[in-house]
Amino acid sequence: GRDDEAAGDYYNRCRARGFQGASTYFLMCAVAIRHDLAIFTDDKDFTQYKRVLPIRIHQSGKRD
């Protein structure tokens, strides 16, 4: 489907910039971008993806 193809494209774009990630992460990015949603996460991988992809991140505010 459309999201699967976008996820593959996002994987390739990020990999070209040296960022690795799980296919499920890129599928989450694809769905979030298509629906204009923020991704709720504390995972640092998404901060890297944001350098390449037009994603928005909503962080929990959790402090270590």
Side-chain angles (χ1 to χ4, degrees):
R2 177 171 43 172
D3 293 328
D4 291 333
E5 292 173 13
D9 177 55
Y10 298 158
Y11 169 84
N12 290 332
R13 287 163 59 180
C14 286
R15 184 173 174 154
R17 295 278 301 272
F19 305 133
Q20 296 290 326
S23 58
T24 53
Y25 283 8
F26 293 110
L27 186 58
M28 289 171 59
C29 291
V31 171
I33 291 167
R34 184 164 62 89
H35 291 284
D36 193 28
L37 301 170
I39 299 170
F40 189 82
T41 185
D42 285 328
D43 192 312
K44 304 280 187 258
D45 287 342
F46 287 92
T47 303
Q48 292 182 329
Y49 306 152
K50 188 171 173 22
R51 298 159 111 189
V52 180
L53 306 175
I55 59 171
R56 292 183 295 121
I57 300 171
H58 178 84
Q59 296 178 338
S60 71
K62 177 180 130 182
R63 300 179 198 260
D64 293 324

